[in-house]
Amino acid sequence: MTWRPWRPRPRPTGRAPRSLARELGWSRRHLNSRFQREIGLPPKVAARVIRFERARRLLRSPHRPSMAETAVTCGEVDQAHLARDFRAPGGLTATQWRAEFPSVQDVDAALGDDGPHDAGQRH
């Protein structure tokens, strides 16, 4: 087995607009127009928003993956692309956002909340 210092980019979960247009028998321009009319955003922008939301959810999850793991999971080429794509809609890099908005479990731990209270009591 050969050691490789890089990982191949994972396949995106969606389809490239070009292949979808070809499958539908439409031009890419027609697909973009119809997509924007129905969704309100062009396909590439919609994909960027979806990646942003996925990264945001991952960064708030209890697992708290590294930035590199988050980038790969969200289909970014590397962490720098995650930072750039995250900053565009959110105004902060992913690292800044995670520091400013900790996971729900981190907040509970800081407040001394260890879970549901009075579970056996009725009011």
Side-chain angles (χ1 to χ4, degrees), residues 59-82:
L59 294 172
R60 290 214 56 204
S61 72
H63 168 61
R64 304 285 303 254
S66 71
M67 292 298 163
E69 288 175 305
T70 301
V72 168
T73 301
C74 293
E76 297 286 3
V77 176
D78 56 24
Q79 190 174 335
H81 282 81
L82 173 66

Side-chain angles (χ1 to χ4, degrees), residues 15-24 26-28 31-32 44:
R15 304 177 98 172
R18 180 177 294 144
S19 67
L20 181 57
R22 187 178 21 234
E23 185 178 314
L24 293 171
W26 294 352
S27 69
R28 216 169 63 192
L31 174 67
N32 285 344
K44 284 187 176 185

Side-chain angles (χ1 to χ4, degrees), residues 23-94:
E23 185 178 314
L24 293 171
W26 294 352
S27 69
R28 216 169 63 192
R29 186 174 180 173
H30 182 69
L31 174 67
N32 285 344
S33 174
R34 287 283 302 266
F35 193 94
Q36 183 152 355
R37 189 173 39 218
E38 295 294 325
I39 305 298
L41 299 169
K44 284 187 176 185
V45 174
R48 196 173 304 132
V49 169
I50 291 167
R51 284 194 306 270
F52 170 79
E53 286 297 320
R54 186 171 189 196
R56 199 178 56 75
R57 278 193 313 275
L58 284 170
L59 294 172
R60 290 214 56 204
S61 72
H63 168 61
R64 304 285 303 254
S66 71
M67 292 298 163
E69 288 175 305
T70 301
V72 168
T73 301
C74 293
E76 297 286 3
V77 176
D78 56 24
Q79 190 174 335
H81 282 81
L82 173 66
R84 184 197 66 208
D85 285 350
F86 202 92
R87 183 181 291 130
L92 301 170
T93 65

Side-chain angles (χ1 to χ4, degrees), residues 59-60 64 92 96-103:
L59 294 172
R60 290 214 56 204
R64 304 285 303 254
L92 301 170
Q96 292 167 330
W97 189 88
R98 179 160 59 179
E100 194 165 321
F101 300 100
S103 78

